[in-house]
Amino acid sequence: MATPQHSITPPKPAPCIIVHNGALGDFVCAWPALHAIAQHHRIKRAGAPLYFYGHSERGQWLEKLGYLRCTPHVRRIIERLYAGIPTPEFARHNILWFCLHSPPSDAAPHVTPLPALSAGPDMHVTQALLHALHALGIQTDWDWRGAWRDAVGSWHGPDSRLVVLFPGAGHVMKRWPMQRFEHVACALAAEGWEPLWVMGPAERDGGMSPPVGHRVHMPQSYRELVDLLCRVRLVIGNDCGPMHLAAMSQVPTLTIFGPADHRRWAPDRKRLLRADMPCSPCTLTTRDIHCTHTTPDGIPACLDALDTGSVLQMARMQLEATAEA
């Protein structure tokens, strides 16, 4: 009599939760790592759910990479982690947590942190995150720029006359004076370009407004913002999230840097302008800007040193270069 054969069903791989609650610029800088995680998951952990815990609108861009929206159950797991409440549920999930230095809670030591500021002093946060993944055995040499173009968008505005201005930033100490932005806008308008001021809720709530008579647009969603950026000729702005968004979509940009470290936070492969001063950069993050070299109006010396002539000269160079695109 034949011995009955018993098949053993291997256990399903544990779900994986990716946590990223940083600002828009942080998310764009983390895109290559997020893409590498998705590729690794597709190859090594096929069949296991891959969840993204973070801003819901950004999560839409990750769906093409295989990320799922968090279920209420998964959301509760992360919310309890934030609160420092341990539970056996944590052990049944693989959690990768994007952070600056370490996750906000040590209640679950099995959580794998992906710190953006743990590498060398000159390493860009994008490379630092990829370095952290490589140390975990995750392949990182994927075409993440192509994935961004497919999921989010790419520039198609070489014939446009629109020049977008971003006068805002997440921290007041990163904002070049509005009057200088106005001077640049007026000079470009006199040369036949069409300046467009773009502001978001932070600028509106902070009382910022463009000069009287200038065009202004307030996008209602990231999708609307990307669609606008991809059809303009040039974007000029402070060190802020939308500049990263534009640069990743290969839109010509000119970013004005002040206290923040451009070596770590500059937008992808794009042109920036900064003053070479002994005291700049003076911060790793906007959480610890304590500039003691400011004008009576509170403008950091490194931003005050950038005059409108310098910005206009570089903007014109960019506009001329894009004419050949």
Side-chain angles (χ1 to χ4, degrees):
M1 183 175 179
T3 302
Q5 300 294 315
H6 298 284
S7 61
I8 299 176
T9 303
K12 292 183 178 180
C16 188
I17 307 172
I18 309 302
V19 181
H20 190 293
N21 267 324
L24 176 59
D26 300 339
F27 172 83
V28 177
C29 289
W31 174 268
L34 290 163
H35 179 251
I37 292 169
Q39 295 295 93
H40 178 82
H41 194 85
R42 177 180 61 82
I43 296 170
K44 301 293 186 179
R45 303 179 59 81
L50 176 63
Y51 296 105
F52 174 74
Y53 181 95
H55 194 290
S56 60
E57 194 172 0
R58 299 171 202 165
Q60 295 176 13
W61 296 335
L62 293 171
E63 290 178 359
K64 287 190 176 181
L65 302 185
Y67 286 87
L68 303 173
R69 296 174 183 267
C70 280
T71 64
H73 173 71
V74 170
R75 190 163 293 276
R76 281 194 298 272
I77 288 175
I78 303 303
E79 288 169 353
R80 289 173 68 85
L81 261 179
Y82 267 111
I85 304 173
T87 171
E89 288 180 301
F90 299 158
R92 295 196 291 270
H93 296 78
N94 295 301
I95 302 174
L96 291 176
W97 199 301
F98 284 81
C99 52
L100 292 176
H101 298 285
S102 60
S105 170
D106 58 2
H110 65 278
V111 172
T112 302
L114 293 175
L117 297 177
S118 62
D122 296 337
M123 185 177 289
H124 195 279
V125 294
T126 293
Q127 294 304 317
L129 291 170
L130 292 176
H131 181 77
L133 289 182
H134 183 75
L136 296 174
I138 295 177
Q139 182 181 344
T140 58
D141 57 343
W142 301 99
D143 179 18
W144 46 265
R145 289 189 179 88
W148 177 275
R149 291 193 299 268
D150 293 341
V152 183
S154 61
W155 182 56
H156 51 270
D159 299 322
S160 175
R161 304 300 295 177
L162 281 173
V163 176
V164 158
L165 303 168
F166 278 111
H171 195 291
V172 66
M173 299 293 276
K174 298 200 299 181
R175 297 174 186 169
W176 198 49
M178 280 285 288
Q179 297 87 343
R180 300 187 196 183
F181 270 110
E182 180 182 1
H183 185 99
V184 169
C186 291
L188 292 176
E191 297 171 10
W193 301 100
E194 301 173 12
L196 176 64
W197 299 72
V198 175
M199 299 184 178
E203 290 74 39
R204 179 194 60 212
D205 297 343
M208 293 183 66
S209 61
V212 176
H214 288 232
R215 294 174 60 195
V216 61
H217 181 64
M218 293 189 176
Q220 301 303 303
S221 66
Y222 286 147
R223 181 71 269 165
E224 183 182 346
L225 176 58
V226 171
D227 289 344
L228 168 65
L229 294 176
C230 285
R231 60 182 177 84
V232 308
R233 185 66 166 269
L234 176 66
V235 183
I236 306 172
N238 296 314
D239 170 24
C240 63
M243 297 302 292
H244 286 275
L245 198 61
M248 185 68 95
S249 296
Q250 300 302 300
V251 181
T253 60
L254 173 54
T255 307
I256 300 171
F257 260 79
D261 192 339
H262 63 287
R263 297 166 299 184
R264 291 181 181 267
W265 296 106
D268 180 52
R269 290 184 172 181
K270 295 299 172 179
R271 193 179 296 272
L272 60 88
L273 189 63
R274 58 178 294 272
D276 188 12
M277 303 183 69
C279 59
S280 176
C282 63
T283 178
L284 287 178
T285 72
T286 55
R287 298 176 182 177
D288 57 359
I289 297 179
H290 302 292
C291 180
T292 58
H293 303 84
T294 61
T295 68
D297 295 329
I299 306 299
C302 56
L303 284 178
D304 185 57
L306 299 174
D307 58 30
T308 54
S310 300
V311 175
L312 269 171
Q313 180 182 18
M314 191 166 285
R316 288 167 179 148
M317 290 174 57
Q318 285 281 77
L319 289 166
E320 183 178 351
T322 57
E324 304 171 357

